[in-house]
Amino acid sequence: MNKRNLIIAGKELSSRFFLGTGRYPNPYVQNEAIRVSETAVLTFAIRRANLESPGEDAILQHLDADHSFTYLPNTSGAKTADEAVRIARLAKASGLSDWIKVEISSNEKTLLPDPIETLKATEILVNEGFIVLPYTSDDPILCKKLEQAGASAVMPGGSPIGTGLGILNPYNLSLIIEEAEVPIIVDAGLGSAMDVTQAMELGADGVLMNTPVAKAKDPVKMASAMKLAIEAGRLSYEAGRIPKKRYATASSGLPSSISY
Amino acid sequence: MKEHILILGGGVIGLASAFSLIRRGFEVTILEKNTCGGQASGAAAGMLAPYSEIMEDPDPFFTFCLDSLRMFRDWQQEIKKASGVDFEYTESGSIYGVYHDSDILSLETRIAWQKTFGSEAQILDGSRLKSLEPAISDEVVAAIYSNEESHVFAPDYVHALKVACEKLGVNIYENLGDIKVESWQSAPILQSPSGQTFTGDKLVICSGAWSQELETIFHIRIPVFPIRGQICAYELGDEQVNHILTSSQGYLVPKSNGTLVNGASEDIAGFSTTVTEKGISRLVNWNKRMLPFLSNKSPFHTWAGLRPATQDGFPLLGSLEGAPHIIFATGHYRNGILLSPKTGETVADLISGIPLDPGTRLAFQPERFN
């Protein structure tokens, strides 16, 4: 079975699972969860990282030095495009990565992305040579505009960060995927393997998660479950599901196969 | 006749449980393989800081920590009274400092939920921060100031707790070596390698980082892992620091003996408590970004302890379902000192037949990993 790998900005990734590094109960569980997830891309909040010496950062220091991850630093906490751009530059200057997840929220309760500031920051950072992956609301027009602004992948949320509410608007998400000419990564709000499989069956190119793994009762087992869900959902999407019908169709005893 | 409670493990959790139990009229015996408080307990920085520890959102662990913090003022007085031994307990307040404007949103989110628990924490900007903590770096753009957070001098606290237990009549056996649980389905029987046998009516498991060894005895999964925490300390000299200072990278705690404790570098190293160059240098490289005067100083002391971390971050606390006379109180990770009063009283409650509230019981149930 030929597995088609995800390519973002010319880089081929061995996994469609993007994993966050926050909120794990301890470094042991964090490392094990990352290992079994087989993720290729790790995301972390720039503001919390020790950019002066990332190898000494409270969280990043634990990562397996022999494994080369693609780092996707995020601008979480930024309320405006200016703030996001400022910390994105710090991350790039640290030499960790030129990939950036634009994340701009202005409401402390929902942490929903600010669409106007997100588009603004994406335009600026693309012009400065970043590989930009904006986290955005699941609006098809906005996602298209982010793509046109030069985003290397677009990351619509399923529901607000950390809620585990799953994909609240599968219709919008399917439109976004249908229209997209860059990879679509579903980011935020997923809760369980079911949500992940749904995202992948809708045709998403990958998913980004943190809380549903890190705060599970067994984060390591959940990392494994999510990995399998991504694979199952992707295969199901590629295989092509049957159309939904209102009434039953017999699955055996077809007239053509009956010999008289 | 008094019920006799055996406690396996003389760390801060075992000692606190013994202190609570003996005051309720039980006969109590602590069995310790080395010396009481010789591991994580004695190595701790002694922070009583649930708001700094739990950042994202409140869960049963947070509320348990907060209850314990609010018990501490009376608790430490009772221990001083019972032991006749003094130790530092300082209601210093804490400052959680951030370095970017983009951190302020997260501080607002934290303050918002903390307020619903009665916290009077507030966000300070640079200039107000400076007046509260003059030595703090100009790089720190804002901070959460929590006036409730406090600290104790952990080695002295644990020592006083042990003396209090002894004076109240707890039997303490140290240097027993690897103690075996010979039988537990009915009255527990434990044996030391030298052949000493201990029997009681109930057994409390407070084995900290070594708890996983008991999986085959009790036939439950005990996913408790030792996480090494490396710490260093400075002589403050003429410098003054007023509060616990924390950031995403570590903490600094000024002690009344004129030292400043800087932690912690965590790593996974099995049961080794060796201090590493990497572990200490990341503290030394980071801490001047909180207190610039530290760039002219070197730590005079370094050490490490093993924190008992669990798979989901919550302790194992409660009695076994099929064996209510077996109580687990372990896996407190880096919060054992903070959680000692609440855990001690909870163990005494459980043994007296007072159950945990249903939410906490489910969250901390020892069998939950089966």
Side-chain angles (χ1 to χ4, degrees), chain A residues 11-12 43 57 109 144 169 171 190 200 221 259:
Chain A
K11 186 163 193 168
E12 187 168 348
T43 183
D57 175 70
K109 223 175 192 168
K144 197 68 198 170
N169 195 339
Y171 172 76
L190 304 179
M200 296 307 291
K221 198 173 265 186
S259 54

Side-chain angles (χ1 to χ4, degrees), chain A residues 23 25-28 47-48 50 52 56-58 61-62 77-79 83 86-87 90 108 217-219, chain B residues 55-57 96 100-103 106 108 112 225 248-249 266 278 282 285 289 309-313 333:
Chain A
R23 313 197 65 178
N26 58 65
Y28 176 79
R47 61 187 166 83
R48 289 179 56 87
N50 180 354
E52 289 194 332
E56 295 186 342
D57 175 70
Q61 60 160 337
H62 302 300
K79 292 180 178 176
E83 275 181 34
R86 214 178 314 143
I87 54 173
L90 292 176
E108 66 172 46
K217 187 111 290 191
D218 185 339
Chain B
M55 298 199 182
E56 279 88 0
D57 46 15
Y96 177 85
H100 305 289
D101 290 339
S102 58
D103 278 299
S106 75
E108 285 165 358
F225 323 103
S248 64
Q249 298 301 316
E266 294 194 321
K278 184 189 173 195
R282 69 164 286 275
N285 293 338
R289 294 194 60 209
T310 65
Q311 182 178 283
D312 59 3
Y333 193 27

